[in-house]
Structures are given as structure tokens and as C-alpha cells.
Amino acid sequence: MTSTAISAIDVARQNIGAYKGELLAALPSHLQDKGVGWLTSSLSALRKNDFLLKCANQDPGSLIVALSQAAQLGLMPGTDEYYLTPKAGKVLGVVGYQGEVELMYRAGAVSSVIVENVFANDKFSWNPGTMTKPLHEVDWFGGDRGQIIGSYAYAIMKDGAVSKVVVVDKTRIERAKSASASAASGKNSPWTTDEAAMVLKTAAHDLAKWVPTSAEYIREQVRAVRDVANEPAPAPAPAAEPPAAPVASPRQHHPEPVADTLTGELVDEGEQNAADAAWFAEEGAK
């Protein structure tokens, strides 16, 4: 096949395939066996947006940079976890609402994360001095809820405590939108195509300042347990004196192993995704 006969999506597939080894090596352990699906998800996002595909082929380096960031974070590109969006002729990667929440769960400190948008016709009450979490009443069957006026987020920690509650108003939403590098992408920006999710992402992003969101949290917990196990036994007391009572270590918490919440499974979108997956799998065998 001559170069002139290669379609735009074929070019993008080959560009991604050229960095397949580096991208898959950057994936965290829980996604290592989902590598072909991860690559196929990337290509599927390009296939759905002609302008994004054009930018990816125009500047393939920006595409690889965006995919590398998604791989390092362990997020699925082209989904609500990690958006691929065009900007100024390049591909820009944007962590989405689901990505922010996923990183909180993966750290292992929380049992649940609540992030909700508040609409004009909802009933919402929050008093930090007397309430541990907001009261949000929604008439699910009452018709139009009106426009989004804000959002909120909080987490229930593994010990049952409630984290700091983050409330995001319209001023904060507009500030987040104006500061977003993807907002200038116009109709291709997630702020245009999925505004509700980006408002949720703003609240989740603000909550991330108060909740552990890194696997480093898990490593610190494991390191603390290891330190306790490796502490030397107290020196024996002199024979004339009774042996000293054992001193309780201040670090007695042994965290339960944390199960990954991200499956990495790709939703089947038909024969084309299967063909892409087969292509990436075959390339890996060469």
C-alpha cells in the first residue's frame, strides 16, 4: 500500500503503534494486562472526532505526550477519565471527572466519593458549623431541574469520617473554565460537549486537595507497617530488675489491601474496535 492510499486513521494507528512499547511500559500494574484495550480506546477517540484526528496527525508528538500522561496516571484515554481534545492544532490531554475520582479511590484512603451538581430547582442546604455534609433534595420525577448553579464533593474515609466538604459556586466554575487550556477549543472542548461533567470535575479537583489521590499514600502505609515489623526488640533489663514491659508501637494500623476500582475494560463498539485491537496485538508480536 502506498503512502497516498493510507487513511488518516491508519496514520494515527501507526503513530501510536510506533510508541506502543513505551506507552504500555508506563501503565501501572493493574492495567498491564489491558494494554491492547487501552491503545484501542485511544484510537477510538480519534476516530469519533475528525478535527481531533487531524490534529493528532498534524502533531503526533502532542498525541504521544497526552497518551503518556494518561498512561502514567493509569487512566483510560478518550473516556470521562481522560479526555483527548484538540487545541491550536495539537492534542491536549485533560483529566476528567471520573479520572479525579478514580485517583482518590486508588489511593486507598476513602470508601466512597460523592460528587454532585446542584441545579436551580433543587433544594440544597449546607452549614459547615452544624452539618457534617450537605442536604441535597432532588425531585427526580418533577420535570426540569433548571440550570446548573454549582456542585459539591466530599469523601467518606475508610474509618467512617467525613472529609472536608467542598462547595463550588458559579464564580468558581467560571474561573475553572477560563483557566482551562481546553476551553479555547470551542465546540470540541469538554466544557462544550460535556459541561455537566466538567463542573463535577471542578468540585472533584478541589476535593483532591483534601483527600489522598496518589498510590504514594499506599506505599507510605506499607512502609509504616514494615518499619514497625523491623523495629529491634527492647534490650533486656539487668537481671536484678524485672523485665521492662513492652512498649506499644504508635503505628499499629495495618491497612487492608486495596482493590483497584478501574477495570480497564473497553466497551465494545463493534467490529472496528476489534480490528484495532487485533492490529495492536499483532504489532506487539513482531
Side-chain angles (χ1 to χ4, degrees):
M1 181 181 292
T2 64
S3 59
T4 57
I6 298 178
S7 69
I9 197 67
D10 288 334
V11 172
R13 185 191 294 111
Q14 291 180 5
N15 287 336
I16 296 174
Y19 288 89
K20 175 182 176 179
E22 291 88 339
L23 292 172
L24 296 187
L27 290 174
S29 57
H30 73 281
L31 280 180
Q32 285 293 334
D33 61 342
K34 311 291 183 181
V36 171
W38 188 92
L39 292 169
T40 306
S41 180
S42 307
L43 197 62
S44 179
L46 301 181
R47 193 186 302 279
K48 295 175 183 177
N49 188 320
D50 290 340
F51 185 57
L52 176 62
L53 176 59
K54 179 180 178 181
C55 292
N57 289 344
Q58 179 176 303
D59 191 335
S62 65
L63 170 64
I64 300 306
V65 168
L67 294 181
S68 295
Q69 183 189 46
Q72 291 167 9
L73 292 173
L75 302 178
M76 190 69 76
T79 70
D80 287 343
E81 289 186 354
Y82 191 89
Y83 296 103
L84 295 176
T85 184
K87 181 179 184 296
K90 299 182 178 182
V91 176
L92 179 68
V94 180
V95 177
Y97 148 64
Q98 292 288 356
E100 296 274 6
V101 173
E102 167 61 21
L103 293 175
M104 294 182 204
Y105 276 119
R106 197 182 302 156
V110 304
S111 61
S112 63
V113 179
I114 294 84
V115 188
E116 295 286 349
N117 283 336
V118 180
F119 294 76
N121 295 333
D122 296 349
K123 292 182 180 180
F124 180 80
S125 177
W126 167 236
N127 186 332
T130 61
M131 303 168 68
T132 58
K133 51 189 177 183
L135 176 63
H136 185 196
E137 297 182 7
V138 178
D139 183 0
W140 298 107
F141 305 103
D144 185 15
R145 293 174 64 188
Q147 296 183 338
I148 295 175
I149 60 174
S151 60
Y152 64 94
Y154 63 90
I156 306 298
M157 312 305 288
K158 284 291 182 68
D159 61 2
V162 178
S163 74
K164 178 181 176 63
V165 176
V166 171
V167 176
V168 173
D169 60 13
K170 296 205 71 171
T171 300
R172 172 69 181 99
I173 294 170
E174 288 301 318
R175 191 166 73 247
K177 183 176 180 179
S178 63
S180 172
S182 68
S185 301
K187 65 179 182 179
N188 292 293
S189 168
W191 278 101
T192 302
T193 61
D194 202 356
E195 181 184 22
M198 292 305 288
V199 175
L200 289 171
K201 182 256 177 82
T202 303
H205 183 73
D206 287 356
L207 178 63
K209 302 171 186 176
W210 303 94
V211 176
T213 59
S214 170
E216 181 60 27
Y217 175 84
I218 300 175
R219 288 193 290 270
E220 287 298 327
Q221 298 298 306
V222 173
R223 188 177 298 117
V225 173
R226 186 185 304 117
D227 288 346
V228 170
N230 291 336
E231 285 179 358
E241 299 179 6
V247 178
S249 169
R251 293 172 293 185
Q252 294 294 321
H253 176 60
H254 292 246
E256 295 292 331
V258 179
D260 293 315
T261 60
L262 178 62
T263 65
E265 294 290 349
L266 178 67
V267 177
D268 183 11
E269 294 182 349
E271 295 181 1
Q272 188 57 64
N273 280 345
D276 290 339
W279 188 91
F280 282 122
E282 181 180 353
E283 284 297 297
K286 292 182 178 179

